[in-house]
Amino acid sequence: MASFTLHELQCFDAVVRGGSFQAAAELLHRSHPSVFAAVAKLEHQLGLNLLDRTGYRVRLTEAGRSFHRKVRSLLREAEELRTHAKQLAMGEEAELRVVLGDLCPLPPVLGLLSRFFGQCPQTRLHLQFEAVTGPWERLLEDEADLIVHRVPKGDVRMEWIELGRVAMVPVVAPDFLPFQPTTVITPQQMQGFTQCVVRDSARRPLEQGHFLVEGAPQCSVPDQFMKKELILHGMAWGHLPRFMVDAELRDGRLLSITGRHFPGVIEELVAARRRDRPHGPVANRLWDFLARHAPVLRPARGRCLTR
């Protein structure tokens, strides 16, 4: 049996994924004849019929199905090896791009970043602040090397480090409501009062707004800090991170309306980066540094339910 090449395995895998030689050629940006020849050569070298070509779409034979499982594993390892080689070839980065989301507690996270980059004088920290799904968009469009925010954990393109849990608490100023705030306030009771929401900074938002009361007037702000100020001044109500309002809840400048109809929510704060991209030596040291110092938040407090 002659040895086969990585190219032949890639062509075979592309035919399986695309369902035809033409689709495989488009996936690989190669000509139809070259893909067909590569797969035919692979079958000849193996002495196996991997594909059933009798139907409209090519299908795997039993032998092809078993072989393809091994091929997928080998191709994944080859991609990891290629990524590792790129990382080894990288020098120390001149800049790292970090995006902090609107749920990020600034003192502990900026403290960690300050300590780390103080030890890396040759690498400049480029820091950005984004809201709602803006951090995801920056990461997935290769405009950030790392984000600190919540993430959609079903997205296999990302890997993350747990940094803590953030309780989101519905709050009002003491004189905002004409009735006594209680734990049984309903959305219908809040329909006539302005609700403050943070604007999504993504160019193409991926989610609908959180915690919105249908039919209620709204005002939007760029971040949680402006939202807190509007609520403190009795101009609106809304959900805020518990770590931002602990002092105000203790001294009565804000009141929680957490209850059956407004249970709040607990968000999981993480540091996240692309799993499918190479990372330079400084980026990898930052990742390890954050992992060693996680979590950065005390356990989330507040009577809140997960979504």
Side-chain angles (χ1 to χ4, degrees):
M1 183 186 298
S3 61
F4 45 78
T5 66
L6 190 63
H7 167 66
E8 291 162 0
L9 297 179
Q10 289 170 331
C11 288
F12 170 58
D13 175 61
V15 171
V16 176
R17 289 187 288 121
S20 69
F21 287 95
Q22 184 58 47
E26 293 171 1
L27 282 171
L28 298 175
H29 304 291
R30 295 183 178 275
S31 68
H32 180 286
S34 68
V35 174
F36 187 90
V39 176
K41 184 179 178 183
L42 176 65
E43 289 181 308
H44 176 72
Q45 290 176 141
L46 295 174
L48 292 171
N49 290 322
L50 301 174
L51 298 171
D52 180 353
R53 299 168 173 79
T54 58
Y56 175 72
R57 288 172 61 90
V58 293
R59 294 180 301 171
L60 287 167
T61 62
E62 282 300 316
R65 188 171 296 107
S66 177
F67 186 71
H68 185 249
R69 284 195 293 269
K70 297 289 187 179
V71 167
R72 290 298 301 147
S73 177
L74 189 150
L75 291 179
R76 280 194 297 270
E77 290 183 6
E79 184 59 34
E80 290 171 4
L81 186 61
R82 188 179 294 110
T83 297
H84 185 60
K86 288 180 181 177
Q87 291 173 340
L88 293 175
M90 285 180 174
E92 292 212 341
E93 303 92 315
E95 176 184 88
L96 279 184
R97 304 159 301 166
V98 176
V99 171
L100 304 184
D102 60 284
L103 298 181
C104 177
L106 294 182
V109 173
L110 291 178
L112 286 177
L113 292 176
S114 175
R115 286 171 55 192
F116 178 81
F117 283 95
Q119 302 167 10
C120 303
Q122 303 306 314
T123 301
R124 183 172 72 91
L125 169 62
H126 179 72
L127 198 60
Q128 282 184 273
F129 298 85
E130 300 287 345
V132 193
T133 66
W136 308 347
E137 185 177 75
R138 300 296 171 270
L139 186 65
L140 295 176
E141 296 193 1
D142 289 324
E143 296 173 7
D145 301 299
L146 181 136
I147 65 173
V148 179
H149 196 45
R150 60 186 176 88
V151 296
K153 292 190 173 180
D155 192 325
V156 297
R157 294 171 293 179
M158 301 182 192
E159 59 180 341
W160 59 85
I161 298 166
E162 300 279 0
L163 297 181
R165 307 177 82 201
V166 177
M168 300 295 293
V169 186
V171 293
V172 298
D175 299 324
F176 180 72
L177 298 175
F179 50 83
Q180 182 66 30
T182 69
T183 59
V184 292
I185 290 177
T186 65
Q188 289 73 25
Q189 287 177 280
M190 298 299 290
Q191 270 186 332
F193 302 99
T194 300
Q195 183 176 8
C196 188
V197 297
V198 174
R199 289 193 295 274
D200 196 332
S201 64
R203 293 180 289 268
R204 294 175 295 280
L206 301 174
E207 291 188 335
Q208 297 179 342
H210 288 327
F211 320 127
L212 297 182
V213 173
E214 187 175 354
Q218 292 178 12
C219 63
S220 65
V221 293
D223 55 48
Q224 301 287 356
F225 297 99
M226 181 68 76
K227 185 177 180 180
K228 178 180 174 179
E229 287 302 314
L230 262 67
I231 295 173
L232 278 169
H233 285 83
M235 300 172 68
W237 74 278
H239 289 73
L240 285 168
R242 180 65 185 256
F243 65 79
M244 288 183 64
V245 295
D246 263 335
E248 290 81 3
L249 289 171
R250 284 197 302 269
D251 63 25
R253 283 178 290 159
L254 287 176
L255 302 175
S256 170
I257 58 170
T258 303
R260 176 183 174 189
H261 301 287
F262 293 100
V265 71
I266 291 180
E267 301 281 12
E268 294 182 347
L269 183 75
V270 305
R273 67 179 184 177
R274 291 289 292 269
R275 190 193 305 272
D276 55 349
R277 293 287 186 274
H279 303 283
V282 180
N284 280 323
R285 291 205 300 270
L286 174 59
W287 188 254
D288 293 339
F289 178 82
L290 293 174
R292 288 196 306 271
H293 290 86
V296 301
L297 285 173
R298 295 188 300 272
R301 291 181 294 161
R303 188 173 154 220
C304 298
L305 304 177
T306 55
R307 273 185 286 191

